[in-house]
Amino acid sequence: MATVAEALNLALDHHLSGRLEEARQLYGRILAVDPDNPHALHFGGLLAAQTGAVADGVAMIRKAAARLPLAADIQGNLGKALMALGTPDGAAQAAAAFRTVLALQPDGAGDWFALGGALTEAGDGSAAHRALNRALTASAATDSEPLAEAFERAGLRLYAAADWAGATDAFRKARRLAPQRAEAHRMLGAALAQTGDPEGAVEALTEALRLDPTLAEAQTNLVHLLVTLGRFDEAERAGRRAAALDPGNADAYGNMVPLLEQTVRVAEALRQCGRAARIAPERAAFHRNRLSLLLHEGRRDEAIAAGREAIRLAPADAEAHLALAVALLASGRLREGWEEFEWRWETRQLDPVHRSFPQPQWTGAEDVASRTVLLYAEQGLGDTLQFVRYAPLLAGRGARVIVGCSPALVRLMERVDGVSAAVAWGGALPAFDLHIPMMSLPRAFGTDLDSIPAAVPYLRADPADVAAWRERTPADGRPRVGLVWAGSPRTVRGVASPIDRRRSLPLAALAPLAEVPGVRFVSLQMGPGAAQLAEAPAGMDIADPMGGVRDFADTAALAETLDLVITVDTSVCHLAGGLGRPTWTLSRADACWRWLGNREVNPWYPTMRVFGQHRSGDWSGVVARLRAALTDFVAAHGRTS
């Protein structure tokens, strides 16, 4: 009679020769005689897994591994069988088996590769990445398709976990191992975009498309990146190709919307947004984008409806709530708008200024008598200048008010009624009991259109500074008109923000104002736009005293020496309005919400007139109205020369 060893050798011969049923029966007979035989358990388990009984195979190989714990081949096959279960738990157990193998033979490139695959399927992208790096180090692989695929899978796990740096490294390795794999380039582009490297992302996506021009997703992603870089012509070509490659992909149309909006083709942007929404009506982002476009067109009721639909689809979408807030505020529905506006803190845009305080935030309900309240700036300089008007109201309730603001505003804020102290935001703060961000004040006070605290001036220049500026720029009997024609460019990678491009105009566009006789213009322009003074329009008599301006307290004192301020929608309009100076604000067609659809008379500033565009990008009508109004102003306020 054959021994167990002879029977096992015969079973293996059947197994390796493909006589699987004979092998199965013989393994069974051996185990009937010797149920703990590790070799029969091992090979019988492999056969079971091979023929579809994976769970039975795992159980048999596990028993074999328990009996021969130092047998690396059994541990490795246990890992492979566990992987065959196709479950995350099975993959996690497989990773443990492969780690046992590596403890026994630490330099096996294939075992590190297997561990990386198991960890990837188990959802541990970072550990998988480390294991695959060891596989790469342990082997001399320079052109390994399977290893490249493993790095891609690990990269996807890292990407899903928002580990952009890890994903980028994994995709770079995949690309190096298999440079002809278009997918490796495409995924590298996606990861680089998330790391804030749009140039590198464009390069990777372009290479992916060179290798495979049919990659519609790469083409679609390229559109957004090229818009970010200000390469609008290329972005438009990429967008058209994306739609042609995959006309059923909603993003192929949705990604065109920012491009069209920035190039002031709002009607076409609405059409593309509509196409995207029809393909994917459940995508809240498309309704949110439609809101901003409708608001651009002045269709505020429709914009509000689009915002409500976006929030119905995605109730926790902070961007949708914030977009709806803007539409509500622009429509004059202030109380509801302030509530939605609180969602701004759930977006990423305020991360640089958000500070967590142990003290509670004042909501308007708490008694503030004899308590110190910190009002702090959160967004632009203009927002601080507009909303510090609430400081006297808070002081009127018995609070000691401290303002945290930009260093450029400290001296001016110190002179606001009710403000006990102003400190440069970002530095050390004095003790306080409660805090509230500036733009939450209207909500706390329950502000609606009828209760806006619009008494001016609430900003006041130092009389000594005003006297000093009068000496520097003596009057000559002509009305003195301050000019600001450009806002802050807020460039990102050399590309001006779309809002600034729409709100600013060149000084040359104001040339018709030079035709009004008897005006002495004074530049209040700061930043890059001031360079345009070197080529001021012919006949425009304009002084430039801004070299002596240290901060907004100086600008305020200078503005007090003027008869009129004409400015685009930037911080100076809020400064002049808060000082109670006659102020004419030039507003883009898609007006900021606070101008209420470019109403000429604005409830926030009683001494302000708003001159709004009728069509995006067209300042000619605004300037024509300005020229006529300035002619009347000179006739009423000064002599002609």
Side-chain angles (χ1 to χ4, degrees), residues 175-218:
R175 184 180 67 170
R176 178 166 66 82
L177 289 162
Q180 297 307 308
R181 285 178 63 84
E183 275 295 298
H185 294 276
R186 183 187 71 79
M187 292 186 290
L188 175 60
L192 286 169
Q194 294 291 350
T195 65
D197 182 6
E199 293 90 349
V202 166
E203 181 181 350
L205 291 172
T206 301
E207 179 62 12
L209 288 163
R210 185 190 69 79
L211 293 166
D212 184 356
T214 67
L215 284 176
E217 188 172 354

Side-chain angles (χ1 to χ4, degrees), residues 95 98-99 102 108-120 124-138 147 150-151 154:
F98 293 135
R99 284 195 170 103
L102 287 161
D111 298 320
W112 283 109
F113 176 81
L115 175 60
L119 290 166
T120 298
D124 191 346
S126 57
H129 188 204
R130 291 192 295 272
L132 292 169
N133 281 331
R134 287 292 300 269
L136 193 58
T137 302
L147 189 53
F151 270 114

